[in-house]
């Protein structure tokens, strides 16, 4: 007779109803076991996935290390259980005293029924907890420290606890009386809850201190009364787990075997499938139900594992999927769970991967690209068997990529001190999880003991997501999907409730041969942020575009202000820009899209770098898709945000090392550079802008225009002089002309605060003139050699000063014109 059948027999003998399950429904594996399983979950046949085998605890050192972790976990669990028993017993004394009055809450007989055997069970577990804690504490003190001589791995042989478990198992008869009385006790609680308001108030607001920070958790009376029944079902499972990590040569092995035998013969039949446990409900009769499920990467054990996460109305359940062999049912194995009561969430983005991680991702992506090309080239030519093998390999590679590519971390912190870390590749998906958890989480949410075995078993029927998000199994080939270059120009946003520094995150679906996510730089604090930043994606089988607007705050978590998704259709996208306004909740974001179809090249090992310093301005503006380089705009905006009142702005230099550091970051990552710019000392920011113009290979005003501008200065009539000078300016290339106008407007705004910052138009012209305008090298012949350097500087300053004095400067065009086939569209989400 197996463990389950023993349980059913025992429950029937005690007149406790039990639901008999078929063999298919009975899980023979230990669903509560915490295994060190490094194999990512696969929805395919286990033998078909090319992943490392599950490691086994082959050496005594490994087993003892795992054994110590199991014992510490048992100790923590016992401490929580004792607090719950204390919470259950807390009103017993008062209820007994009330039973002797004229208006008792419960009669003396009812008090005896409700609390039958609970004090004895509490005393038994208190004795076990004290003994186990004492031995673990003594063992931890005796372990060799770092650098000390000794065989630390073998000190586990000296830790003997088998007698404690055997003593506890020999007292499990106390639970027999509790189980036999359980149904009657529940009936008393339910009856009195309905009939007596005093008892109802008590029964619906039992409190217990959980965790080291003494967080108070709310229970119902019935939920606490269920605790001993829940606990006793796990005794056999705990002993099995401990025995698996105990070497056969250990002194505890025989004692634990005997304890396991006694436990199985007496109480292992009392498990989570009994009808009495199914009857536990949440407050006000609300039943637990599934709200959301999906696949995530669990990093709680220090390694990455694909897991199936289930969100119920009061808890998060993490499971390991086990694909069934032919003719059998899929199964889920229990991983961990966290109650939603008091659950704290925190997410961060870690976009920086180590070189080893980058190499691993490149290898996987290259293999995926090759397999994808083979499937396309040999479609229908080599038969179904070849296609099936190639598709299976592609699915395996996608699983590996799904495991190692996530960059978003979602940390879950429970009031009990338990924490788990989930990893996701998509900020959009992370926000969906966060919203779903927030929606069902309230301050007074009740913690009800989860029916773990039944809950885990039911996942197969309840699940809404059947398999991990593998594009190779879900892709819709043909004209419905895009393959080529998708360009997204993010222009501006409006609708913010208060000024904020925000950025836009853009994601695309399809095969992940290249990065499928990109973000704009963060804007200055504004109600109407502008970016005019172009993002480019290499896509294959893409069908959906996702956008998120995110608020960035120093020292705080980023906050998603709104999100939306857009269907990508090849019939509506072409090589001309298509402008539209998207509604992301309360925030409206204006973007333009265009698409150029073409076959994709194999992914490169390193992401292409687009440096901006020491690069001709026409190249920078072309690769950024703008008229004014982002480095110029961002530095000028930051100076205007917090540097207009700075005395000597642009005249006083910042730290040269900080300036060079920002220069390096601008050459590699615009978003990181702008984030650092927001925190840099303002004179460093102004120094970066001056350095950019000084290091241009060609001056902003082309050198061949120097002589024309010098002749314009000789014109005596002011209006005629300006006409001539603007004629020269308009003959300059568009990026040069618009960047120069942008800088002029910026310097005029700086000069408006000259009473505070002491920077007049002449002062600013003196600083920027030599950087923006230079004499051509060829002119240093017959003409240039006779021009004194001081004369050249005077001319440079006078030209810039003359432009700055103009009161009606033309406006600068900062972004490229995104021509559209039709009028702007507005998409409501």
């Amino acid at each position: 007779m197996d463990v389950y059948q023993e349980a059913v027999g025992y429950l029937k003998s005690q007149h406790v109803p039990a639901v008999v399950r078929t063999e298919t429904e009975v899980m023979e594996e230990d669903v509560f076991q915490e295994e060190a399983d490094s194999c990512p979950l696969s929805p395919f046949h286990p033998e078909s996935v090319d992943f490392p085998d599950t490691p086994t605890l082959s050496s005594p050192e490994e087993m003892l290390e795992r054994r110590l972790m199991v014992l510490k976990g048992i100790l923590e669990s016992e401490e929580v259980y004792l607090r719950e028993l204390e919470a259950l017993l807390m009103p017993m004394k008062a209820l007994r005293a009330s039973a002797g009055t004229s208006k008792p809450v419960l009669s003396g007989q009812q008090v005896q029924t409700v609390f039958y055997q609970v004090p004895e069970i509490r005393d038994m577990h208190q004795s076990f907890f004290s003994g186990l804690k004492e031995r673990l504490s003594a063992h931890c003190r005796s372990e060799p420290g770092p650098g000390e001589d000794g065989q630390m791995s073998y000190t586990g042989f000296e830790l003997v606890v088998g007698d404690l478990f055997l003593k506890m198992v020999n007292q499990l008869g106390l639970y027999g009386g509790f189980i036999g009385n359980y149904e009657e006790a529940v009936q008393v609680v339910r009856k009195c809850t309905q009939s007596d308001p005093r008892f109802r108030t008590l029964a619906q607001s039992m409190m217990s201190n959980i965790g080291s920070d003494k967080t108070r958790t709310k229970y119902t009376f019935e939920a606490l009364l269920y605790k001993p029944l829940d606990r006793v079902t796990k005794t056999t499972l705990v002993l099995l787990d401990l025995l698996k990590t105990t070497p056969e040569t250990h002194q505890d092995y025989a004692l634990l075997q005997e304890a396991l035998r006694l436990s199985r013969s007496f109480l292992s039949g009392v498990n989570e499938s009994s009808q009495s446990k199914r009857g536990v409900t949440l407050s006000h009769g609300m039943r637990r139900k599934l709200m959301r499920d999906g696949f995530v990467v669990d990093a709680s054990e220090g390694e990455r594992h694909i897991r199936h996460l289930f969100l119920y109305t009061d808890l998060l359940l993490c499971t390991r999927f086990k694909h069934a062999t032919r003719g059998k049912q899929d199964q889920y194995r229990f991983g961990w769970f966290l109650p939603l009561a008091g659950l704290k969430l925190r997410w961060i983005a870690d976009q920086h991967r180590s070189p080893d991680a980058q190499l691993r991702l490149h290898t996987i992506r290259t293999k995926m690209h090759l397999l994808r090309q083979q499937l396309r080239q040999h479609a229908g030519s080599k038969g179904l068997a070849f296609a099936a093998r190639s598709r299976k390999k592609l699915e395996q590679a996608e699983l590996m990529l799904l495991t190692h590519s996530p960059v978003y971390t979602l940390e879950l912190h429970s009031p009990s001190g338990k924490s788990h870390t989930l990893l996701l590749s998509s900020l959009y998906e992370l926000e969906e999880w966060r919203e779903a958890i927030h929606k069902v989480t309230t301050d007074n949410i009740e913690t009800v003991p989860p029916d773990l075995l039944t809950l885990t078993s039911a996942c197969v029927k309840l699940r809404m997501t059947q398999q991990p998000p593998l594009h190779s199994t879900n892709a819709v080939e043909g004209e419905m999907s895009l393959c080529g270059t998708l360009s997204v120009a993010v222009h501006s946003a409006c609708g913010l409730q208060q000024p904020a520094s925000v950025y836009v995150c853009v994601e695309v679906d399809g095969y992940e041969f290249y990065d499928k996510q990109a973000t704009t730089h963060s804007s200055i604090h504004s109600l109407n942020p502008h970016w005019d930043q172009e993002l480019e994606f290499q896509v294959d089988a893409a069908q959906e575009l996702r956008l998120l607007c995110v608020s960035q705050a120093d020292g705080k978590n980023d906050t998603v202000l709104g999100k939306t998704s857009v269907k990508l259709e090849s019939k509506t996208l072409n090589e001309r820009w298509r402008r539209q306004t998207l509604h992301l909740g309360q925030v409206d974001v204006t973007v333009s899209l265009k698409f150029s179809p073409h076959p994709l090249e194999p992914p490169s090992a390193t992401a292409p770098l687009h440096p901006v310093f020491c690069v001709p301005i026409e190249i920078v503006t072309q690769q950024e898709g703008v008229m004014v380089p982002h480095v110029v705009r961002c530095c000028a905006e930051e100076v205007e945000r917090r540097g207009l009142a700075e005395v000597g702005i642009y005249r006083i230099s910042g730290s040269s090392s900080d300036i060079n550091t920002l220069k390096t970051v601008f050459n590699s990552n615009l978003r990181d550079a702008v984030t650092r710019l927001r925190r840099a000392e303002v004179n460093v920011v102004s120094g970066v802008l001056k350095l950019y113009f000084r290091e241009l290979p060609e001056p902003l005003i082309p050198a061949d225009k120097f002589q024309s501008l010098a002749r314009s200065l000789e014109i005596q009539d002011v209006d005629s002089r300006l006409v001539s000078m603007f004629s020269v300016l308009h003959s300059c290339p568009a990026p040069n002309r618009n960047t120069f106008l942008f800088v002029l407007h910026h310097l005029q705004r700086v000069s408006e605060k000259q009473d505070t910052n002491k920077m007049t138009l002449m002062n600013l012209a003196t600083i920027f003139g030599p950087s923006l305008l230079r004499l051509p090298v060829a002119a240093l012949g017959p003409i240039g050699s006779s021009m004194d350097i001081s004369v050249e500087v005077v001319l440079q300053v006078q030209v810039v000063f003359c432009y700055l004095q103009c009161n009606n400067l033309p406006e600068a065009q900062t972004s490229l014109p995104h021509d559209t086939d039709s009028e702007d569209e507005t998409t409501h989400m």
Side-chain angles (χ1 to χ4, degrees):
M1 181 181 294
D2 63 12
V3 171
Y4 179 74
Q5 293 300 326
E6 292 177 26
V8 174
Y10 184 82
L11 284 171
K12 289 181 177 179
S13 68
Q14 301 299 322
H15 307 289
V16 176
V19 176
V20 180
R21 298 178 294 160
T22 64
E23 290 185 3
T24 306
E25 293 172 316
V26 178
M27 292 186 181
E28 296 181 355
E29 68 266 24
D30 174 8
V31 298
F32 300 97
Q33 181 182 0
E34 295 284 349
E35 295 182 4
D37 184 2
S38 63
C39 177
L41 177 147
S42 170
F44 314 106
H45 196 282
E47 288 77 16
S48 70
V49 184
D50 188 20
F51 294 137
D53 294 331
T54 303
T56 58
L57 303 176
S58 55
S59 69
E61 295 94 332
E62 292 173 329
M63 294 181 71
L64 290 172
E65 183 178 354
R66 175 65 177 164
R67 180 175 186 263
L68 184 59
M69 292 174 59
V70 171
L71 286 172
K72 290 180 179 179
I74 293 172
L75 187 68
E76 293 176 2
S77 179
E78 281 289 314
E79 185 175 12
V80 173
Y81 179 47
L82 282 171
R83 291 196 182 114
E84 291 165 344
L85 290 177
E86 291 293 347
L88 176 60
L89 290 170
M90 191 174 298
M92 183 177 68
K93 186 176 180 180
L95 290 172
R96 278 180 176 170
S98 168
T101 65
S102 59
K103 294 183 179 180
V105 178
L106 296 179
S107 67
Q109 181 60 44
Q110 287 175 327
V111 173
Q112 183 177 354
T113 299
V114 169
F115 296 102
Y116 184 71
Q117 296 286 37
V118 177
E120 291 81 1
I121 291 173
R122 187 268 317 272
D123 294 340
M124 177 188 75
H125 280 274
Q126 182 63 60
S127 175
F128 171 75
F129 171 80
S130 300
L132 183 60
K133 182 178 182 180
E134 181 180 354
R135 295 193 188 182
L136 282 176
S137 298
H139 170 73
C140 292
R141 288 195 300 269
S142 65
E143 283 188 348
E148 295 181 9
D149 212 5
Q151 297 185 358
M152 179 177 175
S153 299
Y154 284 90
T155 58
F157 280 98
E158 302 169 5
L159 177 60
V160 178
V161 294
D163 60 316
L164 298 177
F165 283 90
L166 188 58
K167 179 182 177 181
M168 181 186 67
V169 169
N170 281 322
Q171 300 178 63
L172 286 181
L174 295 172
Y175 278 98
F178 177 87
I179 294 170
N181 180 73
Y182 177 80
E183 189 174 8
E184 185 177 354
V186 171
Q187 289 176 356
V188 170
V189 170
R190 290 176 178 174
K191 180 180 178 181
C192 294
T193 299
Q194 295 175 356
S195 61
D196 193 325
R198 296 173 298 171
F199 187 82
R200 179 162 56 255
T201 302
L202 169 68
Q204 293 181 349
S205 59
M206 306 281 283
M207 304 298 293
S208 174
N209 293 330
I210 303 297
S212 58
D213 58 351
K214 299 295 186 292
T215 303
R216 292 179 64 79
T217 305
K218 182 180 178 181
Y219 296 88
T220 61
F221 202 120
E222 184 180 341
L224 283 174
L225 195 60
Y226 157 80
K227 288 293 184 178
L229 184 61
D230 177 70
R231 189 69 178 181
V232 75
T233 62
K234 298 178 182 177
T235 305
T236 298
L237 303 175
V238 168
L239 287 169
L240 277 169
D241 204 14
L242 186 57
L243 194 60
K244 288 178 182 178
T245 58
T246 301
E248 294 185 4
T249 55
H250 197 287
Q251 182 179 344
D252 272 347
Y253 193 84
L255 295 173
L256 293 174
Q257 277 190 320
E258 177 64 12
L260 179 60
R261 185 188 67 80
L262 293 174
S263 175
R264 277 177 166 170
S265 65
F266 179 69
L267 58 87
S268 63
V270 185
N271 64 25
E272 287 82 353
S273 64
S274 68
Q275 185 63 42
S276 56
K277 296 181 68 177
R278 290 171 180 256
V280 177
T281 63
L282 305 181
S283 294
H284 312 298
M286 184 177 68
R287 305 291 297 186
R288 177 183 289 126
K289 63 179 181 179
L290 181 65
M291 307 301 293
R292 176 184 172 87
D293 72 303
F295 287 87
V296 299
V297 176
D298 181 19
S300 302
E301 300 175 0
E303 297 181 357
R304 297 187 175 202
H305 310 277
I306 298 180
R307 298 290 184 248
H308 201 155
L309 190 66
F310 292 83
L311 172 64
Y312 288 89
T313 45
D314 64 329
L315 61 88
L316 270 173
L317 175 67
C318 183
T319 65
R320 288 170 283 183
F321 180 78
K322 182 179 180 183
H323 194 276
T325 56
R326 181 174 299 178
K328 293 187 178 181
Q329 187 181 24
D330 291 342
Q331 295 178 351
Y332 282 93
R333 303 183 69 181
F334 175 78
W336 50 262
F337 84 95
L338 286 177
L340 296 184
L343 189 65
K344 302 296 184 184
L345 281 69
R346 176 176 176 266
W347 72 268
I348 54 176
D350 183 12
Q351 303 286 349
H352 302 285
R353 297 187 179 100
S354 67
D356 289 343
Q358 290 282 18
L359 179 60
R360 178 189 299 161
L361 291 179
H362 170 67
T363 303
I364 297 172
R365 286 173 171 174
T366 302
K367 181 179 179 181
M368 286 175 56
H369 185 270
L370 177 62
L371 291 168
R372 171 75 166 153
Q373 295 303 108
Q374 289 177 351
L375 282 170
R376 280 180 165 174
Q377 293 171 4
H378 304 294
S381 62
K382 290 192 176 182
L384 296 177
F386 174 82
R389 287 194 302 270
S390 297
R391 192 168 295 279
K392 180 181 290 186
K393 291 179 181 179
L394 185 58
E395 291 168 350
Q396 295 169 6
E398 272 201 277
L399 276 174
M400 292 292 289
L401 193 64
L402 184 64
T403 305
H404 297 291
S405 64
V407 294
Y408 290 101
T409 300
L410 179 61
E411 298 176 352
L412 309 170
H413 301 283
S414 172
S416 65
K418 299 291 184 181
S419 297
H420 290 279
T421 301
L422 304 178
L423 302 176
L424 297 98
S425 302
S426 165
L427 179 58
Y428 193 95
E429 183 183 359
L430 185 150
E431 180 62 12
E432 286 187 324
W433 273 109
R434 193 201 63 78
E435 288 178 346
I437 294 173
H438 179 73
K439 185 176 181 180
V440 297
T441 302
T442 58
D443 293 336
N444 60 350
I445 192 169
E446 182 184 3
T447 301
V448 175
D451 186 353
L452 294 176
L453 187 57
T454 302
L455 211 56
T456 306
S457 301
C459 287
V460 174
K461 296 180 179 179
L462 294 176
R463 61 184 176 178
M464 296 176 280
T465 306
Q466 300 294 322
Q467 60 187 10
L470 305 180
H471 206 78
S472 52
T473 60
N474 301 323
V476 179
E477 304 293 344
E479 297 181 357
M480 297 300 293
S481 58
L482 306 183
C483 179
T485 300
L486 176 67
S487 299
V488 182
V490 183
H491 302 300
S492 60
C494 61
L496 271 65
Q497 301 301 305
Q498 57 186 6
S501 177
V502 300
Y503 62 90
V504 174
C505 177
V506 183
E507 300 176 350
V508 294
D509 64 350
Y511 289 101
E512 195 177 343
F513 304 136
Y514 297 86
D515 289 337
K516 298 196 300 181
Q517 184 186 88
T519 58
T520 67
H521 62 77
S522 57
S523 70
I524 61 170
H525 276 69
S526 172
L527 282 172
N528 301 291
H530 286 75
W531 298 279
D532 287 324
Q533 186 171 346
E534 188 175 321
L535 308 175
E536 192 173 273
F537 301 90
Q538 302 298 309
V539 298
D540 188 1
Q543 300 178 63
E544 187 177 61
L545 179 75
R546 296 171 169 180
L547 287 92
L548 303 97
C549 188
V550 187
S551 173
Q552 188 177 48
D554 292 340
K556 298 180 180 179
N557 293 338
D558 292 356
T559 303
V560 176
L561 303 178
K563 68 182 194 310
T564 191
S565 61
V566 179
K567 291 296 182 183
L568 298 174
E569 299 178 354
S570 56
K571 61 183 180 181
T572 59
L573 290 175
N574 51 46
E575 297 187 20
R576 294 192 64 186
W577 288 103
R578 177 173 171 237
R579 192 181 185 99
Q580 54 187 315
T581 299
L582 305 176
H583 290 281
L584 288 68
Q586 294 182 341
V587 182
D588 294 346
V589 177
T590 302
V591 301
S592 293
L593 305 179
K594 72 175 181 179
F595 172 67
S596 175
H598 60 80
L600 293 183
E601 296 294 327
S604 59
T606 57
L609 296 179
H610 299 294
V612 295
F613 280 79
C614 304
V615 177
I617 192 170
E618 62 269 19
I619 294 178
V620 174
T621 53
Q622 181 179 7
Q623 67 191 18
E624 292 183 348
V626 293
M627 281 294 188
V628 178
H630 287 302
V631 62
V632 176
R633 290 175 52 195
C634 292
C635 288
E637 289 173 349
E638 195 63 22
V639 168
E640 292 181 23
R641 183 172 76 91
R642 56 190 176 95
L644 293 182
E646 185 78 13
V647 175
I649 187 69
Y650 286 117
R651 179 175 57 81
I652 298 176
S653 299
S655 166
S656 59
S657 61
D658 292 343
I659 292 173
N660 286 322
T661 298
L662 273 172
K663 168 189 170 180
T664 302
V665 182
F666 264 111
N667 279 333
S668 58
N669 189 308
L670 175 61
R671 180 164 181 257
D672 282 355
V674 175
T675 299
R676 295 192 185 198
L677 201 71
R678 306 287 182 227
R679 302 167 185 166
E681 199 269 329
V682 70
N683 286 320
V684 172
V685 178
S686 63
V688 172
L689 182 59
K690 292 188 294 182
L691 181 66
Y692 172 76
F693 289 122
R694 284 201 306 270
E695 293 191 347
L696 281 175
E698 293 292 331
L700 189 59
I701 298 299
D704 59 5
K705 309 295 181 185
F706 187 92
Q707 299 295 346
S708 298
L709 289 171
R711 287 192 293 269
S712 297
L713 288 176
E714 298 175 357
I715 301 175
Q716 298 300 315
D717 181 70
V718 175
D719 293 336
S720 300
R721 183 194 312 151
L722 285 176
V723 169
S724 175
M725 294 184 69
F726 276 108
S727 175
V728 175
L729 181 60
H730 282 294
S731 67
C732 296
N736 301 61
R737 179 177 69 253
N738 284 286
T739 302
F740 185 69
L741 288 171
F742 180 87
V743 172
L744 292 177
H745 280 287
H746 166 64
L747 295 180
Q748 284 182 340
R749 287 190 287 271
V750 172
S751 179
E752 289 174 1
K753 300 291 183 179
Q754 60 181 289
D755 291 341
T756 303
N757 58 38
K758 310 303 179 185
M759 296 302 293
T760 63
L761 289 177
M762 179 54 75
N763 288 340
L764 294 168
T766 303
I767 293 169
F768 278 88
S771 299
L772 302 179
L773 181 67
R774 295 196 291 270
L775 194 68
V777 175
L780 296 178
I783 300 176
S785 59
S786 61
M787 181 180 289
D788 188 89
I789 185 65
S790 61
V791 176
E792 179 186 352
V793 171
V794 169
L795 286 174
Q796 293 167 334
V797 173
Q798 287 180 345
V799 168
V800 174
F801 180 64
C802 188
Y803 279 117
L804 285 173
Q805 285 182 306
C806 182
N807 294 323
N808 54 348
L809 282 173
E811 289 296 326
Q813 180 183 338
T814 57
S815 60
L816 289 171
H818 292 88
D819 298 329
T820 60
D821 295 322
S822 59
E823 295 182 359
D824 287 5
E825 301 179 4
T826 300
T827 304
H828 297 269
M829 298 292 169

